[in-house]
Amino acid sequence: MSHISVFAIDTVQKAFYTSALTHREIVGILSSDKYDEALFFYADLARKTHNGNDVHLKGLLEFSNVCERNCFYCGLRRQNKILKRYALKPDEIIAFAQKAIAYGYKTIVLQSGENNIYKIDDLCGAITAIRDMGAHVTLSLGEKSREEYAAYKQAGANRYLLRIETTDPSLYKQLHPSMSHQNRFNCLTTLQELGYETGSGSLVGLPNQTLSSIADDILFFKESDFDMIGIGPFIPNENTPLGDERGGDFVLALKVMAIVRLLLPKINIPATTAMETLDKNGRIRALQCGANVVMPVVTEGEYRKLYRLYPGKICLDDAPRHCRGCITGKIMAIGRGVSATNGDSVRFGDRLAAQGG
Ligand code: SAM
Ligand code: SF4
């Protein structure tokens, strides 16, 4: 950190020691590149100090691209009639998970469009089967009722990912027809109440999104004390109403992620696939700026291509075994290791210990 201003170092160093920044300071950091070097340095130091050098690899199983929602940015939206849809059967989900566990994954992330194709009992059966094979289960199925979330928890699910996408009420309304922002907040509270290790996150670079609104998102994550936060740059999909938009900027998304690391030093933060889509070394750069998780896709065959949220998704033609070897090599090349634990965040472990669990 040779030629950067003392003022920039002071602001970021203060955040490292106090895990706090004001709204004004966050907007300041996001608006100027003079903070970047110090920000990335201290975010990496916070990751290392609180979480160590190991990276959690979690296998992302995209088990259905059927979605009843119409989020303006997403290629899975119901009104995208061009996309061929699929829904793996419960025994296929279990079989793909079994293969992923054999490749070494200790967590399976079950993700899908928001749909009601599956009977709750069937998904519960898949969750229990995966737990019985020794892996932890993360769910990312969208907004469900408290009863449904509770059933999955009872069946053995450990974690749930539900991004708030944006905390800006008017922006949320523009982008999510017929969806309730309040319900999304309520779902996150319910998941925390039910004892899930709860993750949220946001999109960066949405049309009409301001730096002030991004700062609000970051402060919301801090206040809510989540266990995981995923930050993804928005990537325009030509088969959606936002197909002609500019899309998010890689460095801005990286900065948002780094600030989240400073404010929530003990949580899990993935180096997102969308980051690698914008920058061919994006996940490794993210791992060097605060991230400690990577979620390679473990879905096999044509399903990889059909889970098309946005264009340019990486590793579409690769087999899960290859992806695991490839990312492991890249992680080791930067002097980091692959975690042998089940992938709980340090934050969650501390909370369980405080509860005597
Ligand atoms: N349906 C569930 C939900 O919405 O929570 C889970 C699956 S959804 C495909 C997972 C995430 O993909 C969303 O939270 C959203 O942030 C992200 N996503 C969707 N479209 C995207 C795009 N065009 N660019 C970047 N990320 C996108
Ligand atoms: Fe469906 Fe999730 Fe995509 Fe929205 S973001 S359209 S809920 S898959």
Side-chain angles (χ1 to χ4, degrees), residues 109-167:
V109 183
L110 296 179
Q111 190 180 81
S112 69
E114 207 174 301
N115 65 53
N116 289 310
I117 294 178
Y118 296 89
K119 291 198 191 101
I120 296 178
D121 282 352
D122 285 345
L123 277 189
C124 284
I127 292 164
T128 307
I130 296 171
R131 290 302 312 276
D132 288 347
M133 290 188 273
H136 276 207
V137 173
T138 303
L139 300 177
S140 173
L141 318 174
E143 296 174 33
K144 303 285 178 187
S145 66
R146 174 180 275 269
E147 291 67 34
E148 195 165 339
Y149 287 147
Y152 299 144
K153 186 81 182 59
Q154 182 71 28
N158 305 86
R159 316 185 183 110
Y160 205 103
L161 302 176
L162 184 73
R163 288 184 180 175
I164 195 68
E165 315 294 3
T166 170
T167 56

Side-chain angles (χ1 to χ4, degrees), residues 16-64:
F16 173 79
Y17 286 114
T18 61
S19 305
L21 282 168
T22 64
H23 186 275
R24 194 192 176 100
E25 286 169 332
I26 296 173
V27 173
I29 293 172
L30 294 177
S31 352
S32 161
D33 62 8
K34 73 178 180 211
Y35 296 89
D36 293 7
E37 199 177 340
L39 173 65
F40 296 147
F41 174 85
Y42 277 104
D44 194 42
L45 189 61
R47 183 274 307 157
K48 187 174 176 181
T49 307
H50 297 280
N51 308 277
N53 263 335
D54 284 353
V55 175
H56 296 297
L57 289 184
K58 305 188 178 190
L60 181 62
L61 210 173
E62 302 156 327
F63 67 92
S64 172

Side-chain angles (χ1 to χ4, degrees), residues 17 20 67 91 107 109 133 160 162 170 191 204 317 337 345 348 353:
Y17 286 114
C67 190
D91 56 346
T107 288
V109 183
M133 290 188 273
Y160 205 103
L162 184 73
S170 75
L191 291 163
V204 171
D317 292 315
S345 66
F348 189 69

Side-chain angles (χ1 to χ4, degrees), residues 218-237:
I218 295 171
L219 290 173
F220 165 69
F221 300 147
K222 170 77 181 164
E223 266 163 42
S224 308
D225 203 14
F226 290 119
D227 302 297
M228 306 173 273
I229 293 294
I231 303 295
F234 154 61
I235 302 173
N237 179 322

Side-chain angles (χ1 to χ4, degrees), residues 46-99:
R47 183 274 307 157
K48 187 174 176 181
T49 307
H50 297 280
N51 308 277
N53 263 335
D54 284 353
V55 175
H56 296 297
L57 289 184
K58 305 188 178 190
L60 181 62
L61 210 173
E62 302 156 327
F63 67 92
S64 172
N65 68 355
V66 179
C67 190
E68 287 159 18
R69 302 292 197 182
N70 258 319
C71 308
F72 268 34
Y73 42 81
C74 180
L76 306 194
R77 65 198 305 271
R78 188 182 71 232
Q79 277 173 16
N80 178 10
K81 305 288 183 204
I82 292 171
L83 188 69
K84 182 177 152 194
R85 305 287 172 162
Y86 70 90
L88 298 187
K89 296 194 180 68
D91 56 346
E92 293 175 309
I93 298 175
I94 297 168
F96 279 168
Q98 188 171 23
K99 280 182 152 187

